[in-house]
């Protein structure tokens, strides 16, 4: 069919040549007719053939309208990067002022590619010429796609302002402002800033954000002049706190700014118009006059002004107090019933006391009912968070929040939440801090939280977090979170995104941040085409400079909102020609089934087999891969074909257990080795994998594998004991290597490891906790004098004597103790660590006893000591034995029915 279609197109081209139809005679109907040829090429799946034919024709007939249109439209359907044919065609009709045709062509282009900037701008020009109201939709698309376009954003803002749509107008004014700032166009910045101050002066956080950007990209002086304009609004509305904050910012930029210094004095005057000591505080601080550093003067003034009647203060020994009176240079503070009223000079008060607001958490603790305060904190975590954060200069981390609610003190009155209550409360609190727009972070420290005067948008909240976050991978997480929860068309998102595109353009060597930036830019560009940018380097070019792909994989950090490692593997498979070799090298590090599946499906079975064989041969370097293959690959055909015997696999796994124990003992990769060790033990012993295997095989196999396990000295003795008993059940005459030596009775007091550790812990507690506490009590009692009549001193001395006696006994017993090895248990006779069931010949009933030591003895639960008269009489008896003995003149008669191993 393609031959017929190409022949049909050829006939049209010939007719075009013969008739020499002029440009002026073309209408959109001509292109509608050509559309049928394009649809036919699509339906007959011969787009490439028809396009190549037209491209070849254009080489010698460059201005063929038909060839340009068909080639251009087919290129758009193919998503080709080369759109020169359709662009040239539109330009021809623009030059010939065929506006209707140009509009039609641009609309057809946008049907195929709505992000085509050339078509959008050309169509906008056409609509402008014809006063078509659809121009505003086109303008909106241009602003969305062209991240540097500021003028059209400003036009849209003005348009929506005229329509009375303030919200949309503000959105576009913000875009225009941010773009003018990026382009450093001062005059336009001033114009748009002024407009936004009129429309949204209360959005102080937005203005601070822009101010920081202007200070960084243009100049601090420029940012200061703009903030003066915003200051006028807050001064006029008598919002003195924010007005003062703005003036402090201006003074930080230029502390010699006399206008700002004069204005801040007036703001303070208005804020404290009813303060009895205002003029004196102002004079003392030298804020209004004198050469004193302005910030020293402000700090001095703010400290002095806090000392007024009914205000609260804190003293390190007396706690929270309320100012009763201020007279001249004297001040009276009521510190409550315990410490009473204290009088001191104002100078001393300023040095010794910390002013507190009436809503400071310490004030609430001191003045409110604990029960009601706790109730409110539990019911309203948001209120509690606001109170605590504002208590510490509106700059507080989560550790401080916890310290105020669950302080490390035994005094119950300061503990508002218990440890368990804190766990659930803190989960709610973290969610509130993360999601509620009233809370933010310090722009210079991501760990410090702030409370805002008004809610801000999710976009501004995340942008502030991005700026405050100094670590690279958490910044990626914030960007991806933004993409999922906020408006990606926001200028703030573009700024964050440009951080990573800029990182790509500026890098000097390839590291994990370079690769991560590429992966992020690629992902965002794919999901949001309006942000797509031409990459300065391909992945293959970057990967060529990666010295160690395995290390790179580990250095890439996944977060709650990112999958960098998975994206890294995807790009390797897609863009690296020898990806299979890279995957083979990566697998022991990555340990993902997808790598095996991809290699297998692509026909690299032999490579997988070689990898498995190499892993078991060089298990020291491939220990995690060995564990993975053992657990996940047993039933796969390629692993079976590798011919690694099951016995060899087990032996290799046991060797790795021993290796990890030795490395743990030497403090080498302790965490990683413990993880591998536990994983292997679960695989081999939890479900009796090894035990079932050796019991299904011959004596030689049992000997080889059990001896290997027995030689792992740090392996849990219970595992070895269980295996020994099961082996003996099946092979009663089996002789274990070295069993005679191990069965020799230990010297001294035989104890279990559990009881031994309990005794050691008790000894440690007496030495480090209880005796020092008693010594402290005795010291405090001595300070009170008259020891003969001091009951506290007498009780403490008695307790000390008792503890010392217990300590001596413990030390003596521990010195004599010998820890029992459960692997030496034998059920051929009654001994330590066995459970014996006997028939009482005198009563006819069965009785069961566990034989342990004096430390473990618990006669009520039938646990008896081997050193007791009864236990000693049972020792070494075998099944079927008749036992007759007398204890305390009482005759006993038993027959041993069964002997089992005790569970440790």
């Amino acid at each position: 069919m393609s031959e017929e279609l190409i022949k049909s197109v050829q006939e049209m081209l010939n007719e075009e040549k013969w008739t020499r139809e002029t440009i002026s005679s073309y209408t959109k109907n001509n292109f509608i007719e050509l559309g049928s040829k394009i649809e036919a090429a699509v339906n007959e799946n011969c787009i490439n053939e028809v396009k190549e034919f037209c491209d070849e024709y254009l080489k010698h007939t460059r201005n063929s309208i038909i060839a340009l249109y068909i080639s251009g439209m087919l290129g758009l359907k193919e998503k080709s990067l080369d759109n020169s044919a359709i662009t040239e065609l539109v330009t021809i009709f623009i030059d010939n002022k065929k506006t209707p045709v140009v509009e039609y062509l641009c609309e057809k282009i946008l049907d195929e590619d709505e992000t085509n900037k050339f078509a959008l701008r050309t169509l906008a020009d056409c609509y402008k010429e014809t006063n078509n109201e659809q121009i505003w939709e086109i303008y909106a698309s241009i602003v969305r796609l062209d991240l540097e376009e500021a003028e059209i954003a400003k036009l849209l803002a003005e348009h929506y302002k005229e329509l009375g749509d303030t919200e949309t107008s503000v959105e576009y004014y913000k875009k225009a402002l941010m773009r003018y700032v990026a382009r450093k166009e001062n005059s336009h910045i001033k114009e748009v800033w002024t407009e936004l101050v009129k429309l949204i002066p209360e959005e102080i956080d937005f203005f601070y954000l822009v101010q920081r950007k202007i200070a960084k990209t243009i100049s601090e002086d420029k940012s200061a002049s703009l903030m003066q304009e915003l200051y006028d609004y807050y001064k006029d509305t008598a919002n003195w706190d924010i007005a003062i904050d703005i003036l402090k910012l201006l003074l930080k930029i230029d502390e010699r700014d006399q206008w700002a210094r004069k204005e801040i004095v007036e703001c303070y005057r208005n804020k404290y118009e009813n303060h009895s000591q205002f003029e004196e505080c102002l004079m003392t601080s030298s804020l209004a006059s004198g050469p004193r550093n302005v910030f020293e003067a402000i700090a001095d003034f703010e400290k002095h002004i806090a000392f007024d009647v009914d205000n609260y203060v804190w003293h390190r020994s007396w706690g929270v107090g309320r100012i009763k009176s201020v007279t001249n240079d004297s001040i009276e503070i009521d510190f409550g019933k315990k410490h009473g009223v204290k009088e001191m000079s104002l100078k001393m008060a300023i040095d010794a006391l910390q002013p507190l607001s009436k809503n400071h958490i310490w004030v609430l603790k001191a003045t409110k009912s604990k029960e009601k305060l706790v109730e409110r904190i539990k019911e309203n975590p948001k209120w509690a968070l606001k109170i605590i954060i504002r208590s510490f200069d509106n700059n507080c981390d989560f550790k401080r929040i916890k310290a105020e609610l669950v302080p490390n003190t035994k005094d119950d009155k300061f503990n508002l939440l218990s440890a368990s209550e804190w766990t659930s409360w803190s989960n709610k609190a973290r969610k509130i801090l993360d999601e509620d727009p009233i809370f933010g972070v310090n722009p210079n420290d991501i760990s410090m939280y702030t409370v805002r005067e008004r809610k801000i948008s999710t976009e501004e909240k995340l942008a502030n977090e991005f700026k405050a976050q100094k670590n690279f991978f958490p910044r990626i997480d914030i960007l991806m979170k933004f993409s999922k929860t906020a408006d990606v068309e926001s200028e703030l998102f573009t700024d964050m995104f440009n951080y990573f595109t800029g990182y790509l353009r500026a890098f000097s060597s390839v590291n994990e941040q370079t690769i991560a930036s590429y992966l992020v830019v690629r992902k965002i560009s794919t999901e949001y085409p309006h942000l797509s940018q031409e990459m300065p380097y391909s992945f293959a070019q970057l990967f060529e400079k990666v010295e160690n792909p395995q290390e790179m994989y580990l250095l890439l950090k996944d977060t709650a909102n990112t999958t960098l490692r998975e994206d890294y593997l995807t790009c390797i498979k897609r863009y690296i020609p020898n990806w299979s070799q890279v995957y083979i090298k990566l697998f022991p590090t990555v340990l993902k089934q997808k790598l095996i599946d991809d290699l297998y499906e692509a026909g690299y079975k032999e490579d997988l087999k070689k990898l498995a064989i190499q892993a078991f041969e060089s298990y020291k370097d491939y220990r995690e891969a060995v564990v993975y293959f053992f657990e996940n690959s047993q039933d796969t055909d390629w692993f079976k074909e590798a011919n690694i015997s099951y016995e060899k696999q087990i032996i290799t796994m046991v060797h790795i257990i021993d290796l990890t124990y030795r490395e743990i003992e030497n403090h080498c990769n302790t965490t990683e080795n413990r993880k591998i060790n536990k994983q292997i033990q679960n695989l081999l012993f939890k479900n009796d994998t090894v035990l079932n295997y050796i019991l299904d095989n011959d004596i030689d196999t049992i000997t080889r594998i059990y001896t290997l396990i027995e030689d792992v000295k740090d392996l849990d003795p219970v595992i070895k004991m269980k295996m020994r008993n099961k082996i003996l059940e099946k092979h009663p005459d089996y002789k274990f290597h070295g069993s005679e030596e191990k069965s020799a009775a230990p010297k001294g007091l035989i104890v279990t490891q559990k009881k031994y550790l309990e005794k050691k812990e008790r000894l440690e507690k007496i030495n480090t906790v209880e005796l020092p506490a008693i010594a402290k009590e005795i010291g405090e009692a001595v300070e009170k004098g008259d020891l003969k009549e001091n009951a506290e001193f007498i009780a403490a001395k008695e307790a000390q004597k008792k503890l010392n006696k217990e300590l001596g006994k413990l030390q003596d017993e521990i010195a004599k103790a010998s820890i029992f090895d459960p692997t030496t248990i034998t059920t051929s006779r009654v001994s330590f660590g066995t459970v014996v069931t006997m028939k009482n010949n005198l009563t006819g009933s069965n009785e069961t006893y566990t034989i342990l030591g004096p430390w473990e003895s618990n006669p009520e639960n039938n646990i008896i000591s081997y050193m007791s008269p009864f236990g000693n009489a049972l020792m070494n008896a075998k099944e079927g034995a008749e036992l007759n003995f007398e204890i305390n003149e009482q005759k006993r008669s038993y027959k041993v029915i069964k002997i089992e191993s005790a569970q440790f």
Side-chain angles (χ1 to χ4, degrees), residues 316-380:
R316 62 181 181 180
S317 298
W318 304 327
V320 174
R322 182 180 62 83
I323 299 174
K324 286 189 67 178
S325 67
V326 180
T327 308
N328 298 324
D329 190 38
S330 179
I331 184 169
E332 277 190 340
I333 305 120
D334 183 358
F335 284 100
K337 293 180 181 178
K338 186 173 182 180
H339 298 289
V341 176
K342 306 289 183 181
E343 184 176 353
M344 63 181 74
S345 69
L346 187 58
K347 185 178 185 304
M348 180 182 290
I350 289 169
D351 290 337
L353 303 177
Q354 177 184 335
L356 302 176
S357 69
K358 288 181 172 60
N359 285 322
H360 195 289
I361 185 65
W362 297 349
V363 174
L364 297 181
K365 285 180 182 180
T367 60
K368 303 295 181 184
S369 156
K370 178 181 175 180
E371 290 72 23
K372 290 184 178 179
L373 188 58
V374 168
E375 183 181 359
R376 189 167 187 188
I377 288 168
K378 289 179 179 178
E379 289 180 353
N380 195 342

Side-chain angles (χ1 to χ4, degrees), residues 16 21-32 34 63-70 85-106 109 118 122 126 129:
E16 178 187 46
E21 191 168 4
T22 62
I23 299 295
S24 59
S25 63
Y26 268 91
T27 66
K28 69 178 185 180
N29 290 330
N30 297 101
F31 295 104
I32 292 172
L34 291 174
N63 291 331
S64 168
I65 302 299
I66 293 173
L68 285 170
Y69 185 69
I70 294 175
I86 198 71
T87 301
E88 186 175 345
L89 178 65
V90 172
T91 304
I92 289 171
F93 284 99
I94 290 172
D95 293 342
N96 284 272
K97 307 202 182 300
K98 295 285 289 181
T99 301
V101 173
V102 173
E103 284 186 17
Y104 176 80
L105 292 174
C106 289
I109 293 170
F118 170 78
T122 303
C126 293
E129 185 180 324

Side-chain angles (χ1 to χ4, degrees), residues 106-210:
C106 289
E107 288 165 357
K108 293 299 290 180
I109 293 170
L110 293 171
D111 286 343
E112 300 295 335
D113 177 13
E114 63 181 11
T115 66
N116 190 296
K117 295 177 185 177
F118 170 78
L120 284 168
R121 288 190 176 276
T122 303
L123 191 57
D125 291 339
C126 293
Y127 286 168
K128 183 178 181 180
E129 185 180 324
T130 59
N131 293 321
N132 190 328
E133 278 298 307
Q134 287 181 286
I135 191 172
W136 301 110
E137 294 178 20
I138 301 300
Y139 276 168
S141 296
I142 292 171
V143 170
R144 183 170 63 89
L145 293 168
D146 189 342
L147 304 180
E148 296 180 357
E149 178 55 65
E151 284 78 10
I152 293 178
K154 181 168 167 287
L155 285 174
L156 282 163
E158 293 166 347
H159 171 70
Y160 284 106
K161 183 183 175 185
E162 289 178 7
L163 294 178
D165 186 347
T166 304
E167 184 178 348
T168 306
S169 175
V170 166
E171 179 186 336
Y172 281 111
Y173 270 127
K174 285 182 176 181
K175 287 182 184 292
L177 179 59
M178 297 292 278
R179 295 177 185 190
Y180 281 134
V181 170
R183 286 160 48 173
K184 302 180 182 179
E185 296 187 12
N186 288 342
S187 60
H188 289 111
I189 291 170
K190 175 70 171 68
E191 180 185 358
V192 177
W193 176 281
T194 299
E195 197 61 46
L196 283 171
V197 169
K198 293 176 184 175
L199 293 171
I200 51 164
E202 70 284 354
E203 291 193 22
I204 185 66
D205 290 288
F206 169 77
F207 288 105
Y208 274 137
L209 187 149
V210 178

Side-chain angles (χ1 to χ4, degrees), residues 104 207 216 305 327 365 574 659 788 870 885:
Y104 176 80
F207 288 105
K216 184 177 179 180
I305 202 71
T327 308
K365 285 180 182 180
R574 182 171 296 177
L659 175 64
K788 291 181 181 180
F870 185 68
F885 51 92

Side-chain angles (χ1 to χ4, degrees), residues 61 84 123 127 139 157 163 193 201 232 345 374 396 537 598 611 751 795:
T61 312
S84 57
L123 191 57
Y127 286 168
Y139 276 168
L163 294 178
W193 176 281
D232 290 338
S345 69
V374 168
C396 174
Y537 301 93
D598 287 349
L611 173 63
V751 300

Side-chain angles (χ1 to χ4, degrees), residues 242-261:
I242 295 182
I244 288 167
D245 284 343
I246 293 173
L247 290 169
K248 285 180 180 178
L249 172 65
L250 300 183
L251 288 165
K252 186 178 178 182
I253 293 171
D254 179 9
E255 59 185 48
R256 295 173 298 178
D257 186 338
Q258 292 302 312
W259 173 85
R261 188 163 183 157

Side-chain angles (χ1 to χ4, degrees), residues 12-22 25-26 66:
M12 294 178 71
L13 293 170
N14 289 336
E15 184 180 351
E16 178 187 46
K17 188 190 298 182
W18 294 331
T19 59
R20 296 188 181 278
E21 191 168 4
T22 62
S25 63
Y26 268 91
I66 293 173

